[in-house]
């Protein structure tokens, strides 16, 4: 279909050029076509044609990704067997825990289980929102096509609509012309809530409830409590982003509330309209009669209108009234509005209890229970908005306030810090404490960084207006991770922290940063330091009788702690999960995990399965004994890997070389998000954020942040047999190697060499490629695989199919990059330079779609 659209839009000659390049890059993989021939082909086209070809391959990847999603959904449906639950499902976890530990332990684990995904605006989604929504429209037409009988008029119409939507996707600009602002990012993320998350979450709870008691679900009070709580940094994360202000934070919460209130209103009205239970057959309880009488006294006109449509149907009348009150809440009609989500939940429970007392248990615990679960999960705020700011900003604000006082002339930055705390107070008054109480301090170095936030709150507001704050330390660098227990010791000395511990049941949260730690010391050493930090923090929590939640700041890419969340969970340090898992969901990961209902449900179930299993004694004991046996070898690997990594990034003018061999400096022109790519004005690696660091390496097909140093580390252990044994027995070590193997599989040595050559530093090129060769050889040796991803057949096949098409975009990108990095770049015609820059950005977008990884 894409070929048809290309021929219609650009003529048969455009399609012919696309096909020439497609066949050439496939031929290069089997050796029948040389790289020089492909370079010559790409160079032969006018720049306008090269841009068209780049767009064609980019659109191809959007469609290929969608086809794979639909195949995955078909596979999930085919494997859905209630009697034999699929692996990594909630039903499989329930069965395993019950068989091994009994029903009492199962109920205990389910009762304490928490999954807290936090959606962030980290700029790693290369697609425009217009492109994403276009893909979703194509997806719905693909569903219609598959549902229709072959040869039917419905199939013909679906085919026509598919061509229409693919044609529109082809004609839609792949690049943003304007920079996103934070509220654009809020609205973009909320598309996932509207489209899938709101409906999927109660389905997951039902799946868990049915796994615990398949015969009783829907006819009794649920055995599954809501265990998913969404958070958001979008509009709250101001670390290094001057565009996130207190006004933006306030508006973000209002936008979230608008979306969730609309969702609850629609669901409540739908359930209410269908609940046509006649009062003679299903009599209302005394509590429901009283609630209706009270409502009639306060809102006679509203009830009179509802009574006309629902005579003698009291349960229906009360739910339709609740829907009207939700609408009034959204429209800020104080006379009819709910004061908060708890009042709405009280009404739903009144209806539920009345139905159950009248014997209508299927009505009480069916769709109405789904609505209750939605209200319990999302409240009237949808997701808890978390605030994040750098510790140095607090220190500077506090120093200024101590010098000048709150009445003196203050800098704009200090006023903003105080106004942010005041907005948190307003949010809590308007939506409740759970809507915004977590305040994350980036680069926490000591307990003083935590105390600073509490002191600022004291200065911002009088005692009676101060918000409830859980101030969370974020440990990001290797040194900060090592010092984390000492910082927590200091936190326990703070009166405000002790007060919150008593109020919260001795709960405390600590965030671990994966991105900066990996960029700081390399992927291998960072993985081990994070593992050690988790173990030390779990031990610290046990000694201080604290219920610890570790917040994992994982990125989407392997170089930033990404990879399958369920496998990562099962490889955590013993005692560090404890039934709770909190993690960031960033950029392209949000669309990938929550773009389709079936995939979103599978993702949440896989994490739920891993949380339950990782909290069992057997899994923790396996991890504990394996760590004890193989830890000395891991230390040897990490030390050698870190030395190799630091030698590379510490090479003279490495930052300059890196910016020449990659499209690093051009990435800002993609306008991926509102946040700047650097923390300051300097141009060194220290101020460069981890996202562009990883994104740029991905584009060069080197993927260096996912594997560099591992080969040197493995080579430092003389006995490969012990490493093979560790791979089989130690989940953490297996996860490290599996992630590196995936990163290596997405690396293309031949194309990477062309990028590296642009830097004019052959010694650095040789060092990187030698480490790649060593890492690839030893990873295969340790895993026992004859080729990369040998044990992951579906993923391996997908990567193999994609790689030649990604090669096509890389060749197009190299044409642009070589011209822009050449000695004559300053003499380029302005129009040619503009075409080259557009070609470069189009190819960046396409490679991101092809590899399904950005930052």
């Amino acid at each position: 279909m894409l070929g048809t659209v290309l021929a219609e839009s650009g003529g048969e000659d455009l399609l012919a050029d696309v096909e020439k390049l497609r066949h050439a890059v496939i031929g290069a993989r089997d050796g029948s076509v040389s790289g020089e021939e492909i370079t010559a082909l790409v160079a032969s086209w006018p720049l306008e044609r090269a841009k068209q070809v780049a767009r064609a391959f980019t659109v191809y990847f959007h469609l290929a990704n969608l086809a794979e999603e639909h195949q995955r959904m078909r596979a999930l449906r085919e494997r859905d067997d209630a009697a034999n639950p699929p692996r990594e499902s909630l039903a499989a976890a329930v069965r395993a825990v019950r068989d091994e530990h009994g029903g009492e332990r199962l109920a205990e684990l389910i009762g304490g289980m928490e999954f807290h995904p936090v959606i962030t605006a980290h700029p790693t989604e290369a697609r425009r929102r217009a492109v994403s929504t276009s893909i979703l429209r194509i997806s719905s037409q693909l569903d219609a096509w598959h549902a229709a009988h072959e040869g039917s008029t419905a199939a013909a119409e679906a085919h026509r609509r598919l061509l229409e939507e693919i044609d529109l996707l082809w004609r839609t600009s792949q690049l943003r012309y304007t920079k996103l602002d934070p509220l654009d990012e809020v609205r973009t993320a909320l598309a996932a809530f509207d489209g899938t998350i709101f409906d999927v979450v109660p389905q997951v709870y039902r799946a868990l409830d049915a796994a615990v008691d398949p015969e009783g679900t829907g006819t009794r009070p649920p055995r599954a409590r809501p265990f998913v709580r969404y958070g958001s940094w979008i509009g709250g994360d101001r670390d290094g982003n001057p565009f996130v202000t207190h006004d933006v934070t306030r508006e973000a919460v209002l936008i979230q509330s608008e979306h969730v209130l609309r969702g609850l209103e629609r669901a409540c009205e739908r359930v209410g309209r269908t609940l046509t239970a006649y009062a003679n057959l299903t009599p209302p309880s005394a509590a429901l009669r009283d609630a209706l009488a009270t409502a009639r006294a306060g809102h006679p006109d509203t009830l009179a209108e509802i009574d006309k449509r629902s005579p003698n149907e009291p349960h229906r009348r009360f739910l339709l009234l609740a829907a009207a009150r939700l609408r009034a809440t959204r429209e800020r009609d104080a006379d009819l509005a709910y004061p908060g989500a708890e009042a709405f939940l009280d009404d739903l429970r009144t209806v539920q209890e009345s139905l159950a007392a009248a014997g209508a248990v299927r009505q009480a615990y069916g769709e109405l229970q789904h609505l209750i679960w939605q209200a319990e999960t999302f409240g009237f705020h949808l997701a808890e908005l978390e605030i994040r700011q750098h510790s140095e900003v607090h220190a500077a604000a506090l120093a200024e306030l101590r010098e000048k006082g709150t009445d003196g002339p203050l800098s704009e930055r200090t006023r903003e810090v105080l106004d942010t705390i005041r907005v948190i107070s307003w949010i809590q008054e308007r939506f409740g404490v759970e809507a915004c109480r977590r305040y994350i301090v980036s680069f926490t170095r000591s307990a003083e960084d935590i105390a600073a936030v509490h002191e600022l709150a004291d200065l911002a507001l009088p005692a009676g207006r101060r918000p409830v704050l859980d101030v969370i330390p974020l440990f990001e660098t290797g040194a900060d991770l090592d010092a984390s227990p000492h910082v927590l010791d200091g936190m326990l000395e703070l009166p405000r922290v002790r007060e919150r511990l008593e109020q919260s049941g001795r709960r405390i949260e600590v965030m671990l940063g994966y991105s900066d730690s990996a960029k700081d010391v390399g992927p291998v050493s960072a993985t081990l330091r994070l593992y050690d930090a988790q173990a030390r923090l779990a031990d610290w929590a046990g000694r201080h009788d604290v219920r610890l939640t570790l917040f994992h700041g994982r990125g989407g890419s392997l170089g930033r702690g990404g990879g399958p969340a369920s496998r990562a969970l099962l490889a955590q340090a013993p005692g560090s999960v404890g039934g709770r898992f909190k993690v960031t969901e960033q950029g392209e990961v949000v669309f990938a995990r929550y773009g389709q209902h079936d995939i979103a449900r599978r993702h949440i179930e896989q994490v739920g399965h891993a949380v339950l299993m990782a909290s069992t004694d057997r899994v923790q004991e396996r991890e504990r004994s394996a760590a004890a046996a193989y830890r000395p070898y891991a230390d040897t690997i990490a030390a050698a890997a870190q030395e190799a990594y630091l030698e590379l990034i510490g090479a003279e003018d490495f930052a300059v070389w890196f910016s020449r061999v990659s499209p690093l400096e051009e990435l800002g022109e993609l306008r991926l998000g509102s946040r700047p790519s650097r923390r300051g004005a300097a141009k060194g690696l220290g101020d460069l954020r981890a996202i562009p660091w990883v994104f740029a390496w991905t584009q060069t097909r080197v993927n260096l942040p996912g594997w560099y140093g591992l080969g040197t580390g493995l080579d430092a252990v003389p006995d490969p047999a012990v490493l093979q044994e560790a791979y089989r027995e130690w989940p953490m070590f297996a996860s490290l190697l599996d992630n590196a193997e995936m990163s290596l599989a997405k690396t293309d040595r031949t194309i990477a060499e062309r990028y590296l050559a642009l830097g004019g530093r052959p010694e650095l090129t040789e060092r990187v490629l030698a480490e790649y060769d060593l890492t690839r050889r030893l990873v295969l040796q340790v895993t026992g695989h004859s080729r990369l991803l040998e044990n992951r057949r579906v993923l391996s096949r997908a990567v193999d199919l994609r790689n030649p098409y990604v090669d096509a975009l890389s060749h197009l990108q190299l044409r642009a990059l070589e011209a822009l990095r050449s000695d004559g770049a300053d003499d380029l015609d302005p129009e040619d330079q503009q075409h080259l820059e557009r070609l470069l950005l189009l190819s960046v977008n396409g490679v991101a779609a092809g590899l399904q990884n950005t930052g």
Side-chain angles (χ1 to χ4, degrees):
M1 288 181 176
L2 176 59
T4 299
V5 165
L6 292 179
E8 290 174 351
S9 172
E12 291 290 343
D13 56 336
L14 171 60
L15 180 58
D17 283 341
V18 170
E19 286 296 287
K20 281 179 196 172
L21 182 55
R22 187 172 75 86
H23 287 295
V25 291
I26 292 172
R29 289 275 163 171
D30 63 24
S32 61
V33 178
S34 69
E36 289 76 13
E37 290 176 278
I38 300 173
T39 301
L41 172 64
V42 168
S44 70
W45 293 324
L47 285 170
E48 188 58 44
R49 174 49 54 89
K51 284 170 24 184
Q52 288 180 311
V53 174
R55 287 179 57 236
F57 277 91
T58 301
V59 173
Y60 166 83
F61 274 124
H62 291 321
L63 299 177
N65 293 342
L66 185 60
E68 286 186 358
E69 284 181 2
H70 277 253
Q71 170 58 20
R72 186 179 174 199
M73 290 187 287
R74 279 194 294 273
L76 289 172
R77 288 192 285 268
E78 288 166 4
R79 295 173 193 156
D80 187 12
D81 181 352
N84 299 290
R87 63 184 184 84
E88 297 185 354
S89 64
L90 285 167
V94 165
R95 179 177 293 184
V97 174
R98 178 184 279 141
D99 289 349
E100 189 169 343
H101 301 283
E104 189 174 330
R105 176 59 173 154
L106 173 63
E108 181 185 342
L109 285 175
I110 288 175
M113 180 167 61
E114 296 175 13
F115 173 37
H116 194 156
V118 179
I119 296 174
T120 79
H122 284 23
T124 66
E125 172 58 271
R127 286 171 297 212
R128 292 178 61 210
R129 184 162 44 155
V131 172
S132 296
T133 54
S134 178
I135 293 167
L136 289 176
R137 291 196 303 272
I138 295 170
S139 179
S140 66
Q141 292 306 317
L142 201 52
D143 283 332
W145 193 26
H146 289 145
H149 294 299
E150 188 175 350
S152 66
T153 55
E157 174 60 11
H159 188 274
R160 183 195 68 77
R161 287 283 291 113
L162 265 173
L163 279 167
E164 179 184 348
E165 291 294 350
I166 291 171
D167 179 75
L168 187 57
L169 176 60
W170 162 252
R171 295 175 187 278
T172 298
S173 173
Q174 298 294 311
L175 303 176
R176 296 183 178 96
Y177 288 98
T178 57
K179 189 175 180 64
L180 289 173
D181 68 38
L183 294 180
D184 289 330
E185 293 168 330
V186 173
R187 295 183 181 95
T188 297
L190 288 180
F193 168 80
D194 295 338
T196 55
I197 292 172
F198 187 72
D199 294 328
V200 162
V201 164
Q203 294 172 9
V204 171
Y205 298 157
R206 180 64 71 188
L208 178 58
D209 191 64
V212 174
D213 176 15
E215 300 301 322
T217 187
T219 62
R220 49 145 179 81
R223 305 279 174 83
R225 52 176 286 282
F227 66 88
V228 181
R229 287 290 185 276
Y230 278 88
S232 175
W233 279 11
I234 310 177
D237 179 11
R238 58 245 305 127
D239 177 15
N241 190 344
F243 306 109
V244 176
T245 65
H246 67 282
D247 287 330
V248 166
T249 297
R250 183 180 186 277
E251 191 63 28
V253 168
L254 291 174
I255 293 170
Q256 287 185 183
S257 178
E258 167 81 10
H259 279 255
V260 74
L261 285 169
R262 282 188 184 277
L264 289 170
E265 181 188 337
R266 284 194 297 268
C268 188
E269 185 141 353
R270 175 179 55 79
V271 176
R273 288 192 181 283
T274 60
L275 194 55
T276 52
Y278 191 52
N280 291 0
L281 293 174
T282 314
S285 65
L288 183 60
R289 290 197 303 272
D290 290 346
L292 279 168
T294 301
R296 185 170 287 107
H299 313 290
D301 294 341
T302 305
L303 259 295
E305 185 63 32
I306 291 172
D307 285 345
K308 288 180 189 177
R309 293 175 284 160
S310 313
N312 213 21
E313 296 167 345
H315 299 92
R316 185 185 195 213
R317 288 206 305 269
F318 199 58
L319 281 182
L320 291 177
L321 172 64
R325 294 191 68 187
L326 288 169
R327 183 165 54 256
T329 306
R330 179 169 54 80
E331 295 173 351
R332 303 187 195 180
D333 176 358
D335 186 46
L336 188 59
Y338 278 112
E342 263 317 307
F344 173 56
L345 275 166
D346 287 344
D347 282 355
L348 295 182
R349 290 171 183 139
T350 297
V351 175
Q352 186 177 61
E353 290 161 8
S354 177
L355 288 166
V361 290
R362 293 191 183 278
Q363 305 310 314
Y365 302 115
E367 287 300 294
L368 178 58
Q369 181 59 52
H370 283 207
L371 176 57
I372 291 172
W373 275 330
Q374 286 168 323
E376 289 174 329
T377 299
F378 302 111
F380 283 0
H381 59 279
L382 192 153
E384 180 190 349
L385 190 62
E386 300 189 356
I387 307 300
R388 183 173 75 137
Q389 183 56 283
H390 200 291
S391 58
E392 290 180 0
V393 173
H394 301 140
L398 209 49
E400 185 177 355
L401 286 162
R402 286 169 178 167
E403 178 188 347
K404 300 178 180 178
T406 54
D407 296 328
L410 300 173
S411 67
E412 183 180 348
R413 189 165 73 166
T414 296
R415 288 199 307 273
E416 179 58 39
V417 170
L418 296 176
D419 285 341
T420 296
I421 293 170
R422 292 165 186 146
V423 162
I424 295 171
S425 177
W426 177 85
I427 292 170
Q428 292 186 358
E429 290 172 5
R430 175 78 173 78
F431 296 103
V433 170
E434 292 304 310
C436 184
R437 64 179 169 84
R438 288 177 167 88
Y439 197 118
I440 297 156
V441 181
S442 298
F443 288 93
T444 300
R445 301 279 160 79
S446 71
E448 291 179 4
D449 294 329
I450 305 300
V453 178
H454 290 295
E455 186 175 344
L456 287 164
D458 292 342
L459 294 169
L461 290 162
R465 296 282 313 283
R466 288 173 199 148
V468 174
L469 290 177
D470 289 322
V471 186
I472 298 167
L474 168 50
F475 302 111
E476 299 182 74
T477 67
D480 292 343
L481 289 168
D482 292 342
S484 56
H486 176 69
V487 174
L488 294 185
D489 285 337
M491 284 177 60
L492 291 185
E493 305 279 326
L494 302 177
R496 290 292 172 78
V497 172
R498 291 202 301 270
E499 181 184 327
R500 277 300 294 154
L501 278 174
E502 296 311 311
Q503 293 170 350
S504 65
R506 297 197 63 77
R507 294 174 69 107
I508 200 165
E509 190 171 307
V510 173
M511 185 172 182
L512 305 175
Y514 285 65
S515 302
D516 281 285
S517 58
K519 178 172 159 280
D520 184 36
V521 296
V524 181
S525 187
T527 298
L528 205 59
R529 286 195 182 194
L530 284 158
Y531 184 87
D532 286 345
Q534 292 169 40
R536 287 195 301 271
L537 290 168
D539 180 65
W540 178 91
R543 286 188 283 108
H544 291 90
D545 187 29
V546 165
R547 192 177 178 199
L548 174 70
T549 297
L550 291 177
F551 181 9
H552 301 268
R554 292 178 175 272
S557 65
L558 297 171
R560 294 183 54 240
S566 55
R567 282 196 301 133
L569 254 170
L570 293 169
Q572 301 301 304
S576 64
V577 177
R580 299 174 296 282
F581 183 54
K582 185 175 179 184
V583 66
T584 50
E585 304 266 40
Q586 304 181 11
E588 80 275 10
V589 169
V590 175
F591 192 83
R593 289 178 176 166
Y594 298 109
Q596 304 281 359
H597 279 75
D598 291 348
I599 292 174
R601 175 173 169 175
R602 175 63 172 164
H603 167 61
I604 298 172
E605 280 217 37
Q606 283 181 305
V607 173
H609 169 278
V611 169
L612 284 174
M613 297 307 297
S615 304
T616 61
D617 294 339
R618 177 179 58 81
V619 170
Q620 292 185 71
E621 182 51 40
R622 179 192 176 189
E623 181 67 32
R624 187 177 289 110
S625 61
Y630 302 110
R631 181 52 194 266
Y633 304 103
D635 286 337
T636 300
I637 294 168
Q642 180 175 327
E643 184 178 353
Y645 179 81
L646 294 179
E647 281 180 3
L648 175 68
I649 66 170
E652 184 179 358
D653 291 331
F654 177 84
V656 175
W657 177 76
F658 175 48
S659 66
R660 284 191 60 81
V661 304
S662 72
L664 175 67
E665 300 306 326
E666 289 82 3
L667 290 180
E669 296 304 312
L670 278 175
R671 302 178 178 91
L672 296 185
S674 65
R675 194 173 73 164
S677 62
R678 294 182 181 273
R679 286 192 168 89
K683 293 291 185 180
L685 285 184
D687 68 288
L688 180 67
R689 292 187 182 276
I691 290 169
W693 164 255
V694 173
F695 198 165
W697 278 121
T698 302
Q699 290 291 316
T700 65
R701 310 291 295 283
V702 178
N703 291 321
L704 181 144
W707 55 263
Y708 194 88
L710 178 58
T712 297
L714 294 174
D715 200 37
V717 178
D719 183 5
V722 75
L723 296 179
Q724 292 165 349
E725 193 176 285
Y727 178 73
R728 291 191 300 270
E729 301 296 329
W730 191 6
M732 190 282 290
F733 188 64
S735 177
L736 170 65
L737 263 66
D738 287 345
N739 283 343
E741 187 176 18
M742 195 186 309
S743 197
L744 290 165
K746 291 185 176 183
T747 299
D748 185 277
R749 192 189 192 285
T750 302
I751 291 178
E753 189 170 4
R754 281 189 62 192
Y755 279 95
L756 297 177
L758 292 172
R761 298 280 298 277
E763 78 283 5
L764 291 181
T765 297
E766 184 180 345
R767 182 183 295 183
V768 170
L769 295 178
E771 183 66 25
Y772 167 79
D773 293 338
L774 179 65
T775 303
R776 187 180 187 279
R777 177 172 64 82
L778 293 182
V779 164
L780 289 175
Q781 181 186 75
V782 173
T783 59
H785 299 157
S786 59
R787 58 182 179 81
L788 295 171
L789 300 179
E790 183 179 58
N791 63 331
R792 304 183 68 184
R793 184 177 57 83
V794 174
L795 178 61
S796 175
R797 178 67 172 150
V799 171
D800 287 346
L801 283 169
R802 285 166 178 273
N803 272 338
Y805 295 81
V806 180
D807 294 349
L809 286 157
S810 293
H811 280 287
L812 288 160
Q813 185 177 119
L814 277 163
R815 174 183 174 180
L817 201 59
E818 285 171 346
L820 292 169
R821 297 291 187 268
S822 69
D823 293 337
D826 293 339
D827 300 324
L828 282 170
D829 177 81
E831 186 175 348
D832 284 347
Q833 177 156 348
Q834 186 178 19
H835 281 308
L836 286 165
E837 288 170 352
R838 297 288 291 176
L839 174 59
L840 178 64
L841 295 179
L842 281 166
S843 63
V844 165
N845 206 298
V847 170
L851 295 176
Q852 294 185 295
N853 280 122
T854 51

